[in-house]
């Protein structure tokens, strides 16, 4: 009487250490989903290459780092499949086949494309075929595993819409094969950076999941709080304070009520409030750090995890590709396959 487990696919680009913004924005959902769904999570190294093609060495270095961040954050290889995109060559074949019938207009109109290209223009030349085709590769990543749901941030919604359009077009041109995967948006848990802007590596306002309390402490202690509150005897307003969102996500509700009343009634000073936050952060980061250190001392385990994940993903990918090749008349039963 069991309904089959629904499948989930998502990926992240290996372009740097993960920070609290990534954790509360996406990763916390990934961790929860592995309990209930058949989850495939992959390191999107080909995607990283679409914009970082001139520095491929950096990407490789971040591949094991990303997996360590995932495991530190709570992904477990027994509960989900973690794999490395570039090792599953079927993604490239599927992208190629999708590219045959994806109208250029769909790609050129893509708001993420226009936005990111504009942002990075000057720094990098992104007038490339690969960068324009990024959403087609993403559609291949997703549809390969014929998932029900894709947990992504708001910024990825246009890409997911394109994925559905590509699925529909394939199903219309050939025989129906692909489901139309839906976005799994969980209520966005916003965590601004240390300076109140969006948390981002490039702003230098982030706390990384791999940081020690020695590294975190000075960052928290120097944060700007409610700027209208010059002295402890001035009442403060948590809603005007960069620090308070951190308490919202990391400090338990009881203590948080104390903080709000202490702040608004001018009985709690910002320094003490920061110390309370450091306690919460410690309780949050230390277990992550312990899991990470274990892997750092045993790097082979990271690669073994990926290898096991690659094997599982590859099996699924081959199954899909076999069906796709049949539909596009590229199944040559007359020829024996080359080994690859
Ligand atoms: N485009 C995503 C990002 O930049 C990464 C990604 C690539 C992805 N392929 C995917 C996410 C497939 C979900 C599903 O974050
Ligand atoms: Fe912010 Fe805490 Fe200071 Fe209030 S007491 S302004 S919440 S740091």
């Amino acid at each position: 009487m069991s309904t089959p487990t629904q499948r989930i696919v998502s990926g992240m680009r290996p372009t740097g250490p993960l920070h609290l913004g990534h954790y509360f924005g996406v990763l916390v959902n990934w961790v929860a989903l592995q309990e209930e769904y058949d989850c495939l999570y992959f390191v999107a190294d080909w995607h990283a290459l679409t914009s970082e093609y001139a520095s491929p060495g950096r990407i490789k270095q971040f591949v094991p780092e990303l997996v360590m961040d995932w495991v530190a954050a709570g992904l477990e290889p027994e509960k989900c499949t973690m794999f490395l995109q570039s090792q599953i060559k079927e993604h490239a074949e599927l992208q190629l086949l999708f590219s045959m019938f994806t109208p250029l207009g769909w790609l050129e109109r893509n708001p993420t494309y226009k936005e990111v290209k504009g942002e990075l223009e000057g720094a990098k030349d992104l007038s490339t075929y690969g960068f324009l085709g990024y959403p087609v590769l993403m559609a291949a990543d997703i549809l390969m595993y014929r998932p029900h749901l894709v947990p992504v941030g708001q910024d990825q919604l246009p890409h997911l819409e394109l994925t559905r359009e590509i699925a529909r077009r394939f199903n219309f041109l050939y025989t129906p094969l692909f489901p139309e995967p839906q976005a799994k948006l969980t209520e966005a848990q916003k965590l601004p950076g240390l300076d109140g802007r969006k948390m981002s590596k490039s702003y230098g306002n982030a706390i990384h999941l791999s940081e020690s309390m020695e590294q975190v402490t000075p960052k928290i202690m120097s944060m700007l709080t409610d700027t209208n509150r010059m002295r402890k005897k001035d009442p403060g307003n948590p809603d005007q304070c960069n620090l308070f969102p951190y308490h919202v996500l990391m400090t338990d509700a009881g203590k948080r009520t104390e903080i709000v009343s202490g702040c608004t009634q001018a009985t709690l000073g910002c320094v003490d409030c920061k110390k309370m936050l450091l306690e919460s952060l410690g309780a949050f980061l230390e277990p992550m750090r312990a899991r990470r250190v274990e892997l750092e001392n045993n790097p082979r385990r990271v690669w073994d995890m990926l290898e096991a994940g690659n094997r599982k993903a590859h099996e699924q990918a081959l199954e899909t590709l076999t069906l796709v090749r049949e539909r596009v008349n590229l199944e040559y039963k007359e020829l024996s396959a080359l080994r690859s």
Side-chain angles (χ1 to χ4, degrees):
M1 246 304 323
S2 65
T3 44
T5 318
Q6 294 211 328
R7 178 171 284 168
I8 278 189
V9 176
S10 203
M12 272 188 210
R13 290 176 301 148
T15 48
L18 298 188
H19 52 60
L20 291 177
H22 296 121
Y23 181 83
F24 288 107
V26 181
L27 211 42
V28 70
N29 300 326
W30 282 26
V31 172
L33 292 168
Q34 69 179 339
E35 305 292 340
E36 274 183 66
Y37 294 89
D38 172 18
C39 296
L40 291 130
Y41 298 129
F42 67 96
V43 180
D45 55 345
W46 271 337
H47 283 273
L49 213 48
T50 59
S51 58
E52 309 294 319
Y53 55 83
S55 37
R58 275 173 52 82
I59 297 173
K60 181 162 190 184
Q61 165 203 333
F62 284 123
V63 169
E65 290 292 325
L66 185 59
V67 175
M68 283 194 269
D69 277 339
W70 286 355
V71 174
L75 289 187
E76 298 177 36
E78 298 77 20
K79 294 183 177 168
C80 66
T81 303
M82 294 177 255
F83 71 95
L84 180 56
Q85 182 193 30
S86 66
Q87 301 311 293
I88 315 297
K89 312 299 178 193
E90 284 74 13
H91 287 227
E93 184 174 343
L94 194 55
Q95 182 201 20
L96 176 87
L97 295 173
F98 286 167
S99 75
M100 303 304 175
F101 61 75
T102 303
L104 266 181
W106 289 6
L107 301 175
E108 286 162 346
R109 261 188 275 115
N110 171 8
T112 315
Y113 169 72
K114 289 197 256 181
E115 194 181 304
V116 175
K117 188 160 179 287
E119 264 171 38
L120 298 179
E121 207 97 75
K124 291 165 192 151
D125 181 3
L126 291 180
S127 317
T128 58
Y129 173 54
F131 189 70
L132 181 68
Y134 185 115
V136 186
L137 182 56
M138 185 158 159
D141 300 335
I142 295 170
L143 296 175
M144 182 70 83
Y145 302 98
R146 291 173 276 161
H148 305 81
L149 297 167
V150 183
V152 285
Q154 202 80 33
D155 61 317
Q156 298 292 315
L157 289 183
H159 287 156
L160 201 59
E161 183 55 39
L162 235 145
T163 297
R164 283 193 295 271
E165 285 178 297
I166 288 176
R168 277 197 289 274
R169 195 152 163 85
F170 182 99
N171 292 342
F172 166 79
L173 287 168
Y174 312 110
T175 347
L177 172 61
F178 295 112
E180 292 179 29
Q182 302 302 312
K184 174 106 181 136
L185 283 173
T186 3
E187 92 262 26
Q189 307 201 67
K190 278 261 170 312
L191 189 68
L194 294 164
D195 55 2
R197 291 187 291 169
K198 181 179 189 266
M199 189 178 282
S200 158
K201 170 178 60 158
S202 49
Y203 291 157
N205 64 358
I207 293 180
H208 297 132
L209 301 183
S210 52
E211 280 185 270
S212 67
M213 288 314 286
E214 292 72 56
Q215 292 168 294
V216 171
T217 302
K219 291 186 176 180
I220 297 296
M221 294 314 287
S222 60
M223 271 176 84
L224 271 188
T225 60
D226 178 356
T227 46
N228 292 320
R229 191 179 189 200
M230 305 300 278
R231 287 161 299 252
K232 182 176 166 185
K233 64 176 172 42
D234 302 329
N237 179 358
D239 295 332
Q240 299 288 324
C241 172
N242 287 340
L243 197 84
F244 194 69
Y246 289 71
H247 276 303
V248 171
L249 293 175
M250 274 172 277
T251 302
D252 67 69
K255 271 201 209 142
R256 219 160 57 226
T257 316
E258 271 174 48
I259 291 170
V260 172
S261 63
C263 174
T264 52
Q265 291 163 32
T267 53
L268 174 70
C270 291
V271 172
D272 288 325
C273 188
K274 288 176 169 177
K275 287 184 182 154
M276 290 172 82
L277 179 63
L278 285 172
E279 245 174 68
S280 309
L281 261 170
F284 175 83
L285 289 176
E286 287 305 341
M288 289 200 193
R289 225 179 134 66
R291 286 193 285 268
R292 174 175 253 280
V293 167
E294 207 182 301
L295 290 179
E296 281 171 353
N297 292 333
N298 203 346
R300 188 59 233 170
R301 276 195 44 213
V302 175
W303 296 112
D304 286 344
M305 248 176 241
L306 275 180
E307 210 162 317
N310 286 348
R311 211 165 295 128
K312 275 200 235 166
H314 185 240
E315 232 171 72
Q316 294 299 323
L318 258 186
E319 215 172 89
T320 299
L321 247 293
T322 305
L323 297 169
V324 169
R325 287 174 193 144
E326 276 168 17
R327 281 166 171 72
V328 292
N329 270 303
L330 290 167
E331 203 53 299
Y332 288 93
K333 301 238 162 60
E334 304 81 351
L335 296 169
S336 51
L338 292 172
R339 264 181 57 97
S340 71

